[in-house]
């Protein structure tokens, strides 16, 4: 073993700035997959809205609401992905987890509201 | 009896979601890699929920020949299932995080079995409907 003088090899060793298991990287990609899923769902929800025969103002309100929910979802995920850039990311803030789930539930609820077609 | 117990544990879970600082005070902080693995599991469950909700929209939009009532049932079941998956995602994440901090075993639940059976029944129902030609 020809160990060269490693930078920072003295005790105590500083935390390595890169995990050999690439856990932050894998977690970041998991977040990216999740935003892609959310986007696909939002597109389907938007298509649902286009096909509905709800009154105009209702459609506009629902469209704005769903757009905001999707934007909040992606913004929260983006902040978390930025935290993944550090060597030892802090734990997932429970508030972020709750807000993401809240966005998902609200989008599902909006979709349910579109289903209610008084004309049919 | 079982219902009251279930309600009590559900109440405790909801309190835990909204006071996550209490989880952070307990036990010792686990290795960050374990927390990240737990986070990825949470995201996988969230994606499952998103996929089910998207599937609900897809059933409503892409099966125009399905009987109106059946289509509504399929759609509502998928939307509710997706919502349950999302709730389960955050609940399971909090419970796993707490178990890791306390050094306990990770919680096991019947939810994956229930979900698999539910999706299986929906798929079989769909195949039977198509085979019987009851899609008009």
């Amino acid at each position: 073993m020809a160990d060269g003088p490693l930078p920072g090899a003295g005790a105590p060793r500083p935390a390595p700035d890169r995990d050999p298991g690439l856990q932050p990287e894998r977690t970041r990609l998991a977040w990216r997959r999740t935003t892609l899923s959310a986007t696909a769902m939002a597109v389907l929800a938007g298509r649902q809205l286009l096909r509905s025969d709800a009154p105009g103002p209702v459609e506009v309100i629902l469209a704005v609401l769903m757009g905001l929910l999707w934007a909040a979802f992606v913004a929260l995920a983006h902040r978390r992905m930025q935290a993944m850039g550090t060597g030892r990311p802090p734990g997932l803030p429970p508030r972020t987890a709750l807000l993401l789930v809240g966005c998902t539930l609200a989008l599902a609820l909006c979709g349910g509201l579109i289903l209610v077609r008084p004309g049919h | 009896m079982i219902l009251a117990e279930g309600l009590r544990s559900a109440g405790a879970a909801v309190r835990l979601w909204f006071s996550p600082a209490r989880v952070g005070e307990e036990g010792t902080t686990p290795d960050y890699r374990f927390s990240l693995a737990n986070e990825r599991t949470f995201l996988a469950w969230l994606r499952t929920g998103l996929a089910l909700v998207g599937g609900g929209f897809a059933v409503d939009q892409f099966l125009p020949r399905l009987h109106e009532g059946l289509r509504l049932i399929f759609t509502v079941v998928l939307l509710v299932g997706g919502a349950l998956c999302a709730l389960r995602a955050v609940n399971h994440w909090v419970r796993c995080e707490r178990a890791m901090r306390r050094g306990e075993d990770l919680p096991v639940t019947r939810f994956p079995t229930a979900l698999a059976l539910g999706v299986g029944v929906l798929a079989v129902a769909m195949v039977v409907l198509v085979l019987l030609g009851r899609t008009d």
Side-chain angles (χ1 to χ4, degrees):
Chain A
M1 292 287 279
D3 271 1
L6 288 169
R13 281 177 78 152
D17 58 352
R18 196 180 67 84
D19 172 13
L22 291 179
Q23 303 265 353
E25 180 73 2
R26 283 156 58 189
T27 311
R28 199 178 61 74
L29 289 172
W31 276 101
R32 178 55 72 208
R33 286 198 295 279
T34 308
T35 56
L36 284 173
S37 302
T39 305
M41 191 192 85
V43 167
L44 275 174
R47 193 172 179 274
Q48 183 99 12
L49 199 56
L50 284 177
R51 289 159 39 95
S52 83
D53 41 11
V58 175
E59 280 197 1
V60 171
I61 290 170
L62 277 175
V64 169
L65 194 61
M66 292 197 305
L68 286 176
L69 285 169
W70 174 81
F73 194 105
V74 172
L76 283 165
H78 181 72
R79 260 181 49 193
R80 185 62 186 153
M81 278 190 272
Q82 280 182 326
M84 287 298 142
T86 58
R88 258 163 210 268
L92 172 66
R95 204 170 56 98
T96 304
L98 274 178
L99 284 172
L100 283 173
V101 171
C103 284
T104 308
L105 293 182
L107 276 169
L109 189 66
C110 284
L113 286 178
I114 302 170
L115 285 179
V116 183
R117 280 167 283 201
H120 282 233
Chain B
M1 185 75 173
I2 294 171
L3 187 68
E5 218 168 88
L7 280 178
R8 222 183 355 262
S9 77
V14 170
R15 273 199 302 281
L16 199 60
W17 301 348
F18 287 101
S19 56
R22 281 213 325 245
V23 177
E25 288 164 7
E26 284 185 53
T28 53
T29 306
D31 188 327
Y32 78 103
R33 286 170 294 182
F34 301 157
S35 291
L36 287 183
N38 191 21
E39 183 175 336
R40 289 196 295 276
T41 308
F42 161 70
L43 291 174
W45 275 106
L46 191 60
R47 280 198 297 279
T48 307
L50 287 167
L52 287 175
V53 173
F57 293 145
V59 163
D60 192 55
Q61 292 176 36
F62 298 111
L63 295 174
R65 285 169 61 219
L66 194 64
H67 182 266
E68 182 87 16
L70 278 176
R71 196 171 61 209
L72 191 66
I73 290 171
F74 275 113
T75 305
V76 169
V77 165
L78 283 169
L79 287 180
V80 171
L84 285 178
C85 264
L87 285 173
R88 196 268 177 175
V90 71
N91 185 40
H92 194 69
W93 175 75
V94 166
R95 286 177 64 196
C96 284
E97 204 69 20
R98 188 177 53 174
M100 285 196 294
R101 296 194 76 93
R102 289 176 175 172
E104 293 169 354
D105 286 344
L106 292 181
V108 288
T109 67
R110 295 190 188 91
F111 189 88
T113 314
L115 177 68
L117 288 176
V119 171
V121 166
L122 267 185
V124 167
M126 214 65 209
V127 169
V128 168
L129 279 175
V130 170
L131 285 181
L132 292 179
R134 290 284 171 77
T135 47
D136 288 314

